[in-house]
Amino acid sequence: MPLTVRLVATDREVFKGEANLVVVQTLEGQVGIMPQHSPMMAQLADAEVLIKTDAGDLHAAVHSGFATVDRDNVIILAETAELADEIVVEAAERIKAEIGTPADDDHASQAKLKRAETRLAVAAKRQTGGKI
């Protein structure tokens, strides 16, 4: 039996469907979720989420959120989330260039930079078919 997966951002449902594997980056490390997974809840890092479906791999940039797992159900709740094909590379590159290297105490700029870098990394996987 496959996983039922929902990837939800604050403004929309980004993905809903079945998957064979979901890989998320939590604050404690990377977690692979397969059918019959033990229940869990984890805070997500700003990073890529990989959703492996029968139709192919989906890569998403996810920022600030949680993942919950209950056997064959995975719900990813994020502040923002974008599938690889939705990412505007030029916008992420522009943000990265504008911010440069933020000061250690400039947490807002550090967060914006991390989001831009995550978007660029996920978009790069789109260009290479998921292989980096």
Side-chain angles (χ1 to χ4, degrees), residues 28-94:
E28 290 78 35
Q30 194 173 61
V31 177
I33 304 160
M34 296 177 69
Q36 305 287 313
H37 195 282
S38 299
M40 71 166 234
M41 183 172 182
Q43 187 173 359
L44 298 176
D46 287 354
E48 175 190 1
V49 168
L50 170 63
I51 303 170
K52 288 188 159 284
T53 71
D54 287 340
D57 295 352
L58 294 172
H59 300 270
V62 173
H63 311 287
S64 299
F66 294 89
T68 63
V69 180
D70 183 18
R71 291 188 57 85
D72 296 326
N73 295 298
V74 179
I75 301 172
I76 300 166
L77 303 170
E79 183 179 322
T80 64
E82 305 153 284
L83 295 175
D85 60 357
E86 299 172 335
I87 295 170
V88 179
V89 172
E90 296 79 15
E93 288 174 339
R94 185 176 58 251

Side-chain angles (χ1 to χ4, degrees), residues 45-48 60-64 80-84 86-102 107-126:
D46 287 354
E48 175 190 1
V62 173
H63 311 287
S64 299
T80 64
E82 305 153 284
L83 295 175
E86 299 172 335
I87 295 170
V88 179
V89 172
E90 296 79 15
E93 288 174 339
R94 185 176 58 251
I95 290 168
K96 188 175 174 185
E98 288 172 0
I99 292 172
T101 305
H107 301 295
S109 291
Q110 289 176 2
K112 286 179 186 176
L113 179 61
K114 177 62 177 162
R115 288 179 183 198
E117 290 171 342
T118 299
R119 287 181 177 113
L120 291 170
V122 170
K125 290 194 177 183
R126 172 183 68 209

